[in-house]
């Protein structure tokens, strides 16, 4: 068996949106490449913030998923995922993950968000001389700053924690060059320790569901322009903007229907808005096959972000959007990673965030350009996936990052100490 790597992160399969598909996919790819892979994770709960049916909260669960052994540790899952409750969940997960069976890994990969859990895990790894690779999917404190979800003192304190944690790790992986620039410039991380590994698409085109049949199933008239947003419904998505654009479509008679698919903290409010808006619809999360089919049945695929977001995230939905080959409308800041990705892929157009009038006009314009060009304009997404966002390229780059940190462990007696701790 090859070198042993342990992934520790809150999210893993069977969650099929957000971070989980990438952690699950990379663990499986490394196992296929000959690595001895283990996973310590939490209870599946995202994006609904409810524990999935069949997973008990009172004891540990062990399973093998696609050839990878997975250990789940219990932790609270707050229905209202505010900052304080989320920190409580992270800390409890981190404490229990640090006490789980690690089986003497050559390196530990900690997945963030779950910053405070990662800090706790780092302490155990450092004690035993195990090198740590931090895999940063979202920059924690950039998100706090841009969403205003914490006060100035709390944000500064968390930035100090995040910076010290990342600087202490033997290496880190970020998902975009913009993230790499931020952690170096703002958090003081040594550029030599930072590796950019792009997220890949984990959804393939649907081959079993006819788009026209699917539209009929959901009651979408063929003459309607379906603008589809998928994934989390939280503060940073600012989906009230989409509801307002749908109201404008209804008032003006524009043949545009805005559809949201997924879950999250804002979903109940959005459902209330949809109950009184003929051109606004909220659907629950769906399985991967139906998800792929929905992307292919839509006319425009939407990324909507809160005004002011320029650093904090690269929406994972973009990789799936590009694979679907439909035009992408990005209601985002011009300096955001999302705007950069859509422009780089030549896959759509950007409109200002927080502007319902611009959102509706953009949907009409983008669809018109797509139809007039016979589907050739804004069609670079599939090419971009092949050339930039492939899973093979991500796996090779991740292995290079792991190999760079594996040599930095420094405690030759860690086998004995870990075995003692786990007995």
């Amino acid at each position: 068996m090859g070198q042993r790597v342990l992934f520790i992160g809150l999210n893993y399969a069977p969650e099929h949106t957000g971070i989980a598909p990438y952690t699950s996919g990379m663990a499986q790819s490394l196992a296929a490449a000959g690595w001895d892979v283990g996973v310590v994770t939490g209870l599946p709960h995202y994006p609904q913030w409810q524990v999935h049916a069949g997973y008990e909260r009172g004891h540990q669960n062990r399973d093998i998923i696609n050839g990878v052994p997975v250990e789940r540790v219990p932790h609270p899952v707050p229905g209202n995922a505010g900052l304080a409750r989320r920190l409580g969940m992270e800390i409890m997960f981190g404490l229990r993950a640090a006490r789980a069976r690690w089986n003497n890994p050559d390196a530990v990969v900690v997945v963030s968000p779950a910053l405070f859990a990662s800090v706790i895990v780092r302490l155990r790894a450092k004690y035993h001389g195990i090198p740590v690779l931090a895999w940063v999917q979202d920059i924690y404190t950039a998100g706090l700053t841009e969403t205003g979800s914490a006060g100035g003192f709390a944000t500064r304190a968390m930035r100090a924690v995040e910076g010290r944690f990342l600087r202490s790790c033997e290496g880190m992986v970020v998902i975009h060059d913009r993230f790499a620039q931020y952690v170096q410039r703002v958090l003081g991380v040594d550029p030599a320790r930072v590796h950019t590994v792009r997220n890949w698409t984990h959804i393939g085109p649907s081959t079993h569901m006819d788009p026209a049949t699917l539209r009929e199933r959901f009651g979408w008239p063929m003459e309607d322009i379906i603008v589809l947003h998928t994934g989390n419904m939280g503060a940073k998505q600012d989906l009230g903007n989409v509801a307002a654009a749908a109201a404008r479509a209804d008032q003006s008679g524009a043949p545009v229907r805005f559809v949201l698919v997924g879950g999250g903290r804002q979903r109940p409010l959005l459902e209330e808005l949809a109950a009184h808006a003929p051109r606004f619809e909220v659907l629950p999360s769906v399985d991967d096959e139906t998800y792929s089919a929905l992307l292919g049945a839509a006319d425009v695929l939407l990324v909507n972000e809160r005004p002011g977001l320029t650093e904090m995230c690269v929406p994972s939905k973009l990789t799936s959007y590009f694979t679907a080959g439909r035009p992408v409308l990005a209601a985002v800041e011009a300096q955001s990673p999302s705007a950069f990705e859509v422009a780089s892929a030549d896959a759509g157009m950007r409109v200002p965030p927080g502007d319902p009038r611009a959102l509706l006009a953009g949907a009409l314009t983008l669809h018109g350009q797509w139809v007039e060009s016979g589907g050739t304009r804004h069609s670079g997404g599939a090419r971009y996936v092949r050339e930039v966002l492939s899973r093979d390229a991500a796996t090779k780059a991740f292995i290079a990052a792991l190999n760079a940190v594996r040599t930095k462990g420094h405690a030759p007696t860690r086998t004995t100490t870990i075995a003692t701790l786990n007995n």
Side-chain angles (χ1 to χ4, degrees):
M1 184 64 71
Q3 297 293 329
R4 175 164 177 77
V5 59
L6 178 67
F7 286 82
I8 301 181
L10 259 173
N11 305 100
Y12 200 79
E15 293 179 1
H16 58 83
T17 62
I19 294 172
Y22 301 108
T23 308
S24 307
M26 186 58 69
Q28 293 162 25
S29 292
L30 292 182
W35 289 67
D36 182 2
V37 181
V39 174
V40 175
T41 189
L43 302 171
H45 63 274
Y46 186 84
Q48 296 87 358
W49 290 93
Q50 295 178 343
V51 178
H52 291 196
Y55 291 86
E56 299 179 11
R57 300 178 62 178
H59 63 277
Q60 293 182 343
N61 296 272
R62 295 185 179 90
D63 197 2
I64 296 180
I65 301 177
N66 294 322
V68 176
V70 176
E71 180 171 353
R72 297 187 187 276
V73 298
H75 56 83
V77 177
N80 178 4
L83 179 61
R85 293 185 178 184
R86 177 170 174 174
L87 290 180
M89 176 181 70
E90 288 189 12
I91 290 169
M92 185 61 70
F93 168 73
L95 290 170
R96 287 176 169 160
R99 294 174 57 193
R101 294 174 177 167
W102 285 19
N103 296 324
N104 194 25
D106 295 285
V108 170
V109 177
V110 292
V111 185
S112 187
L115 171 63
F116 285 84
S118 299
V119 170
I120 294 168
V121 168
R122 170 63 180 154
L123 292 175
R124 173 177 171 178
K126 185 175 182 179
Y127 180 78
H128 295 294
I130 305 170
V132 170
L133 180 67
W135 190 0
V136 179
Q137 292 280 348
D138 276 340
I139 299 172
Y140 206 96
T141 49
L144 293 180
T145 299
E146 293 185 346
T147 62
S149 56
F153 175 79
T155 298
R156 289 192 298 273
M158 289 191 182
R159 182 178 293 122
V161 171
E162 186 171 35
R164 185 169 182 176
F165 160 67
L166 291 175
R167 291 191 298 272
S168 78
C169 293
E170 283 70 25
M172 65 178 296
V173 165
V174 294
I175 63 173
H176 199 275
D177 288 337
R178 182 72 62 81
F179 284 23
Q181 296 164 9
Y182 183 93
V183 299
Q184 294 165 31
R185 183 183 75 252
V186 178
L187 300 179
V189 180
D190 180 357
R193 296 189 178 195
V194 182
H195 306 260
T196 299
V197 179
R198 302 299 301 275
N199 281 344
W200 62 96
T201 179
H202 57 278
I203 298 292
S206 175
T207 58
H208 302 295
M209 297 186 185
D210 175 63
T213 302
L214 196 67
R215 288 175 71 110
E216 182 178 356
R217 169 182 160 186
F218 284 101
W220 299 339
M222 292 303 295
E223 62 270 18
D224 276 4
I225 300 169
I226 303 300
V227 180
L228 179 66
H229 179 282
T230 70
N232 189 42
M233 302 178 188
K236 69 183 180 183
Q237 285 76 32
D238 189 34
L239 295 173
N241 179 55
V242 181
R248 285 189 172 275
D250 187 46
Q251 294 164 5
S252 65
V256 180
R257 179 185 297 268
F258 292 88
V259 180
L260 312 181
V261 176
R265 289 184 62 197
Q266 301 298 320
R267 181 184 169 88
L269 174 61
L270 294 166
E271 288 177 324
E272 290 181 14
L273 295 174
H276 304 95
R279 295 199 165 274
F280 185 53
E281 188 173 350
V282 180
L283 300 177
S285 298
V286 296
D287 60 75
D288 285 350
E289 179 63 26
T290 304
Y291 178 68
S292 297
L294 282 173
L295 296 182
D299 298 293
V300 174
L301 302 176
L302 175 63
V303 176
N304 193 84
E305 293 177 355
R306 178 174 175 164
L309 300 190
T310 59
E311 301 280 2
M312 66 177 292
C313 69
V314 180
S316 60
K317 64 175 68 72
L318 275 175
T319 57
S320 300
Y321 284 7
F322 293 161
T323 299
R326 311 302 288 175
V328 178
L329 179 61
V332 302
E333 297 286 4
Q335 300 83 15
S336 69
S338 296
F340 175 85
E341 288 297 289
V342 172
S344 297
D346 186 25
M349 62 181 289
R350 187 195 73 86
V351 296
D355 186 339
R357 187 188 301 273
L359 180 57
L360 177 59
L364 290 166
T365 298
L366 182 60
H367 179 65
Q369 293 174 346
W370 174 266
V371 172
E372 290 170 7
S373 68
T376 60
R377 192 169 179 182
H378 309 300
S379 62
R383 172 196 54 78
Y384 195 69
V385 167
R386 290 193 304 271
E387 296 178 0
V388 180
L389 303 180
S390 75
R391 182 163 167 173
D392 286 347
T395 301
K396 291 176 182 177
F398 203 92
I399 288 174
L402 270 175
N403 285 331
V405 305
R406 272 197 313 110
T407 60
K408 297 180 180 179
H410 54 271
T413 60
R414 61 186 169 86
T415 299
T416 301
T417 56
I418 290 176
T420 301
L421 182 63
N422 284 324
N423 285 336

